[in-house]
Amino acid sequence: MRLLQLVFIDGGKQQVNSRYSMFTLFKWSVRIVSALLILTVLALGFIYYLAARSLPDYNATSQVRGISAPLEIVRDHSDVPHIFGQSDDDVFFGLGYAHAQDRLWQMVVMRRTAQGRLSEVFGERTLKTDELMRRLDIYTLAQAAVAQQDPDTQAALQSYARGISPWVPADSIAILKLMGVSMATHVQKEVLRARVTLTAGEDKLADLMPDAPGTGVAALPDYAALFGAKNSDFAALAPLPPKDPLSPVAELGFGGASNAWAAAPSRSAAGGTLLANDPHLDFSSPGIWYLARLELQSGGVIGGSIPGMPLLLLGRSEGFGWGLTSSYLDDQDVFIEKLNPENPEEVLTPEGFAPMQSRPSIIKVKDQAPVTIQLHWTDNGPVLPGDQYGLGNVTPPGHVAALGWTLLAARDRSMTAGFHLMQAKSVEEGMAAGKDFVAPSQNLTMVDHDHIALKTIGAMPRRDAANMTQGRMPVPGWKAENLWLGIEAYEANPEFIDPSGGIVGNTNNKLVERPFPLHVSWDWGDTQRIQRWQKLMQNREVHTRESFIEAQLDEVSITARNLLPLVGADLWYTGEPARDGTPERQRQQALELLANWNGEMNEHMPEPLIYAAWMRALQKRLIQDDLGPLASQFTHVEPVFIERVYRNVDGAGKWCDVIQSAPEETCSEIARLALDDALLWIRENVGGNIEALRWGDQHQATHDHAVLGKVPVLKWFVNIRQSTSGGDNTLNRGLTSGTGANPFENVHGPGYRGVYDFADPDSSLFVTATGQSGHFLSRHYDDLGELWRRGEYIPMSLDPDLARAASVGITHLEPMQ
């Protein structure tokens, strides 16, 4: 009994000790976790404190070197700097200072990109980008171009560079050339045409990639036969690798785009000229555009700049306004060069084999040994490796590809042209300023108090009428008839001055109908938006600032209005009744929604998503069996192609028949199957009731940070996402990604919008898609983004009192004694 009592007592002690130990462990665990949480909060607070201290102080007085007199930078309520100085040189210093305050990181990354030096920071990830930029050699060309600028422009470049400090004039010219790289897509189009002919034959090319506005390609030669080769001699047509966010090269369909239109006093309700402009580029955070006002000796100018350049690339002065749209002028050609079998350092020319220019270039790579590449240039341009632009797929053995491009010129006065355009007082002076512009080619829309005009600026290559592909596909570089003969005169570029209708405009559409070689281009950026624009302009006898804003924000897809009646002609209100929840019932619901839809790509509606998914699935079914893996390169719906198929233009209805299947499919069958494909994709990827779908949930504008945008946790702070209306073919354009888990993300569109009314210039308006600051802790990082998403604007005023009245800070810079 005694023993049992001892055991019981001892067991009880053990239980008490166990409970005490567990309590002690819990207590210390709580203390440790609490301490860790406190330390984490303190660490995050300290990091935030340090980061916040890196925000610029806009209310400051500083003594600086590089100015001759006191300089004032007034930041209005939206953080737009209004720069006042006693000389133009000091004002450009102030612009450089403001750019550096808000966007220095962005500027440095752009400069490194142009120099081919990204890999020093980002490692092997950017090696291919650096290699391409070294081969294009745009920084060397920019250095040579500094001496080509006129004295006033050189002085502005130097003053601007002093305002930044770690900067030189060549950096600014290199960034202008870099913008040209980001907007050019003629190389990609030439390569894709060649790949289509190698895969499906040139007869299919006329349907799939017709000349705008859809007249069809005529008499193109067999691509392989150009080089005495067979289709089997070319490399396998593998999909191109995905684009790195830091690469400046545009993917096919993602080059520069834009809208601009102007009305003469006779078409303006208030009797003054009107101008609207919204250039389209890849979305990013921070955005590419930076708003600024400069008070020059010639008067005040206000508009959009790109950090790194001492220019307002678009905007207005007291009596002159100008806007830009991508012209799509064909300023690139791919030349396939034949190597000398006895000496691979030589290529064949019309006069025989000749040596290529050659020099080594060393690329430093973070955490790796440096990489040395050998740069080669032929008389036609730099030699590019096969893994760039997909050139390897269209280059036969024993050959290399060289790129002819007007951008790759040292005698380039584009910066001077931009400088004088910014100081122009009239349409006449603006036309004269554009003469010096080389690349990237743009359509320049201008207004003064009395006149309106549109002029294509940029160098247009002079080609031989006997060119073997007329610039549509790569050509043998040793044939004299394929070589450039110089540059066409500026007067040969299209121009429209004071048209009788009182309105000019451009949506990247075809401008002129001229035979080759003065055709300007075979490829244009738009065949659709222009139709909607014409309707909106013609609906009114006179226009106002508000009607121009309405057109700029228009969400109606003329493409949807045109294609849906064609594609669904045999499907509307047909079929047997079906039970809820069945695929047949869902198809009927989708068709009913679309039948009552007006084509408005509104973010709150389900119809835009159903339509977009249907057309995407339809094009895939039409081309997959003909093109195989190459079909993946057609990431966006080609409206002219689908219209040709469903109207059976020149027998294009043959695309509906699946080659590999025994029965002969009709276009109606393919349309029905594609709708089922689309609804299945929606069920699996979006879900929910079909009537409750919301286009904006899929069509989010993705202003992602190129460097930090994929870093866990941090990405939620640096990326800006916005539900948006519009689509690929609306005036309020929101180009979808076309690839990935969500092919309907909005990735390319109007990062800047401006509407200028010269009946009351200070009532003019503008806005950008994000904000002025590049620092994610600044309230100006994304404050303009919500206005932009809602279709709102901020004043574009040259009134200094208005800028000071609601300023967020005034910076005073004084010369250092």
Side-chain angles (χ1 to χ4, degrees), residues 453-762:
L454 186 152
K455 175 70 176 180
T456 300
I457 60 175
M460 181 163 59
R462 180 177 295 163
R463 296 179 174 90
D464 193 312
N467 185 289
M468 297 172 74
T469 71
Q470 299 185 338
R472 291 186 177 102
M473 295 192 299
V475 289
W478 60 92
K479 300 282 189 179
E481 62 267 30
N482 296 327
L483 308 186
W484 288 0
L485 306 174
I487 299 298
E488 298 288 353
Y490 182 58
E491 292 71 23
N493 287 11
E495 64 180 44
F496 307 87
I497 303 173
D498 291 330
S500 58
I503 288 181
V504 295
N506 179 246
T507 62
N508 316 118
N509 56 288
K510 186 173 184 174
L511 288 177
V512 291
E513 186 66 55
R514 301 194 307 208
F516 180 86
L518 290 177
H519 65 309
V520 180
S521 181
W522 298 115
D523 300 308
W524 302 85
D526 175 52
T527 62
Q528 306 296 303
R529 302 196 315 275
I530 187 63
Q531 300 177 45
R532 179 64 178 170
W533 175 76
Q534 287 174 312
K535 181 176 178 62
L536 293 179
M537 293 298 106
Q538 292 167 357
N539 277 350
R540 295 173 180 263
E541 184 67 28
V542 293
H543 284 273
T544 63
R545 183 191 71 169
E546 284 67 31
S547 72
F548 267 35
I549 291 173
E550 180 185 339
Q552 201 170 65
L553 302 177
D554 187 77
E555 302 164 359
V556 173
S557 171
I558 197 73
T559 312
R561 289 185 173 186
N562 290 338
L563 291 185
L564 284 174
L566 277 175
V567 172
D570 297 329
L571 302 179
W572 306 119
Y573 306 110
T574 60
E576 298 296 326
R579 296 193 311 274
D580 282 342
T582 63
E584 292 80 8
R585 178 59 178 159
Q586 193 171 40
R587 186 196 312 142
Q588 291 171 357
Q589 289 176 320
L591 287 167
E592 185 174 353
L593 286 170
L594 293 176
N596 296 310
W597 180 49
N598 68 350
E600 183 181 1
M601 303 289 286
N602 186 285
E603 62 180 301
H604 303 291
M605 299 174 69
E607 291 90 346
L609 178 58
I610 300 169
Y611 155 74
W614 186 9
M615 294 302 106
R616 176 178 170 80
L618 175 63
Q619 180 166 285
K620 182 179 180 180
R621 278 192 174 266
L622 291 174
I623 68 175
Q624 185 73 52
D625 59 315
D626 291 88
L627 301 185
L630 186 58
S632 64
Q633 298 304 301
F634 291 85
T635 57
H636 291 80
V637 171
E638 304 287 342
V640 176
F641 166 63
I642 291 181
E643 185 171 352
R644 286 175 64 87
V645 170
Y646 277 80
R647 292 189 187 278
N648 196 24
V649 176
D650 296 331
K654 62 180 178 291
W655 286 85
C656 293
D657 181 39
V658 179
I659 297 173
Q660 289 87 351
S661 70
E664 184 174 344
E665 290 80 8
T666 67
C667 289
S668 294
E669 289 177 288
I670 296 299
R672 177 179 56 78
L673 292 170
L675 179 56
D676 288 345
D677 291 341
L679 295 175
L680 177 62
W681 184 91
I682 290 172
R683 281 198 304 273
E684 293 180 345
N685 293 275
V686 183
N689 188 318
I690 191 172
E691 295 179 344
L693 296 173
R694 189 175 177 278
W695 172 236
D697 292 341
Q698 301 303 306
H699 193 244
Q700 286 198 346
T702 57
H703 308 273
D704 289 358
H705 197 286
V707 177
L708 305 176
K710 295 188 182 299
V711 177
V713 180
L714 195 56
K715 66 182 180 182
W716 300 109
F717 295 94
V718 299
N719 293 341
I720 303 170
R721 298 297 176 92
Q722 303 158 318
S723 168
T724 56
S725 300
D728 291 354
N729 304 119
T730 54
L731 285 173
N732 182 15
R733 183 169 174 266
L735 186 62
T736 54
S737 65
T739 59
N742 178 13
F744 304 115
E745 284 182 334
N746 182 3
V747 298
H748 189 283
Y752 170 101
R753 294 188 184 118
V755 181
Y756 324 143
D757 182 355
F758 283 91
D760 180 12
D762 271 354

Side-chain angles (χ1 to χ4, degrees), residues 22 30 37 111 115 139 183 209 228 288 314 348 354 360 365 475-476 538 626 657 672 711 805:
M22 290 178 65
V30 170
L37 287 173
R111 178 175 62 181
Q115 293 172 329
Y139 195 78
M183 290 190 280
M209 301 178 69
I288 193 66
L314 31 83
L348 187 61
V365 184
V475 289
Q538 292 167 357
D626 291 88
D657 181 39
R672 177 179 56 78
V711 177

Side-chain angles (χ1 to χ4, degrees), residues 203-271:
D203 59 322
K204 292 288 183 75
L205 185 66
D207 294 322
L208 189 56
M209 301 178 69
D211 296 340
T215 55
V217 177
L220 265 184
D222 174 80
Y223 183 70
L226 290 174
F227 311 100
K230 304 184 296 294
N231 286 8
S232 58
D233 292 333
F234 293 85
L237 301 178
L240 299 177
K243 177 188 173 184
D244 187 284
L246 286 169
S247 171
V249 176
E251 295 179 287
L252 191 63
F254 290 91
S258 306
N259 299 317
W261 45 83
S266 62
R267 295 294 302 274
S268 168

Side-chain angles (χ1 to χ4, degrees), residues 277-571:
N277 183 212
D278 53 291
H280 306 166
L281 293 168
D282 284 334
F283 287 144
S284 63
S285 63
I288 193 66
W289 295 104
Y290 182 90
L291 306 176
R293 177 265 185 87
L294 310 178
E295 190 62 32
L296 302 174
Q297 298 302 301
S298 57
V301 289
I302 188 168
S305 69
I306 291 179
M309 291 187 280
L311 293 177
L312 298 187
L313 286 168
L314 31 83
R316 75 168 187 91
S317 60
E318 188 61 38
F320 176 70
W322 72 103
L324 298 173
T325 57
S326 292
S327 73
Y328 280 79
L329 183 152
D330 188 1
D331 55 9
Q332 295 179 310
D333 273 344
V334 177
F335 297 92
I336 303 299
E337 310 279 19
K338 181 181 292 186
L339 295 172
N340 185 347
E342 306 298 326
N343 182 0
E345 293 296 310
E346 294 183 343
V347 294
L348 187 61
T349 73
E351 290 77 35
F353 286 106
M356 294 183 283
Q357 298 178 37
S358 177
R359 77 171 192 269
S361 183
I362 301 173
I363 303 174
K364 297 179 181 178
V365 184
K366 181 183 178 182
D367 300 328
Q368 288 189 19
V371 175
T372 301
I373 61 174
Q374 199 70 18
L375 309 182
H376 289 94
W377 282 62
T378 73
D379 291 343
N380 293 314
V383 173
L384 302 182
D387 57 1
Q388 299 286 356
Y389 296 105
L391 289 167
N393 297 137
V394 297
T395 305
H399 297 70
V400 293
L403 174 60
W405 192 358
T406 58
L407 181 86
L408 306 179
R411 299 186 63 181
D412 182 349
R413 288 168 59 88
S414 298
M415 187 65 71
T416 293
F419 184 77
H420 289 301
L421 180 62
M422 183 172 60
Q423 295 184 314
K425 300 289 189 182
S426 66
V427 165
E428 182 181 8
E429 291 182 11
M431 295 280 286
K435 186 173 185 177
D436 278 331
F437 200 83
V438 174
S441 177
Q442 300 285 294
N443 287 322
L444 173 62
T445 304
M446 299 169 286
V447 303
D448 57 28
H449 284 299
D450 302 309
H451 305 285
I452 64 174
L454 186 152
K455 175 70 176 180
T456 300
I457 60 175
M460 181 163 59
R462 180 177 295 163
R463 296 179 174 90
D464 193 312
N467 185 289
M468 297 172 74
T469 71
Q470 299 185 338
R472 291 186 177 102
M473 295 192 299
V475 289
W478 60 92
K479 300 282 189 179
E481 62 267 30
N482 296 327
L483 308 186
W484 288 0
L485 306 174
I487 299 298
E488 298 288 353
Y490 182 58
E491 292 71 23
N493 287 11
E495 64 180 44
F496 307 87
I497 303 173
D498 291 330
S500 58
I503 288 181
V504 295
N506 179 246
T507 62
N508 316 118
N509 56 288
K510 186 173 184 174
L511 288 177
V512 291
E513 186 66 55
R514 301 194 307 208
F516 180 86
L518 290 177
H519 65 309
V520 180
S521 181
W522 298 115
D523 300 308
W524 302 85
D526 175 52
T527 62
Q528 306 296 303
R529 302 196 315 275
I530 187 63
Q531 300 177 45
R532 179 64 178 170
W533 175 76
Q534 287 174 312
K535 181 176 178 62
L536 293 179
M537 293 298 106
Q538 292 167 357
N539 277 350
R540 295 173 180 263
E541 184 67 28
V542 293
H543 284 273
T544 63
R545 183 191 71 169
E546 284 67 31
S547 72
F548 267 35
I549 291 173
E550 180 185 339
Q552 201 170 65
L553 302 177
D554 187 77
E555 302 164 359
V556 173
S557 171
I558 197 73
T559 312
R561 289 185 173 186
N562 290 338
L563 291 185
L564 284 174
L566 277 175
V567 172
D570 297 329
L571 302 179

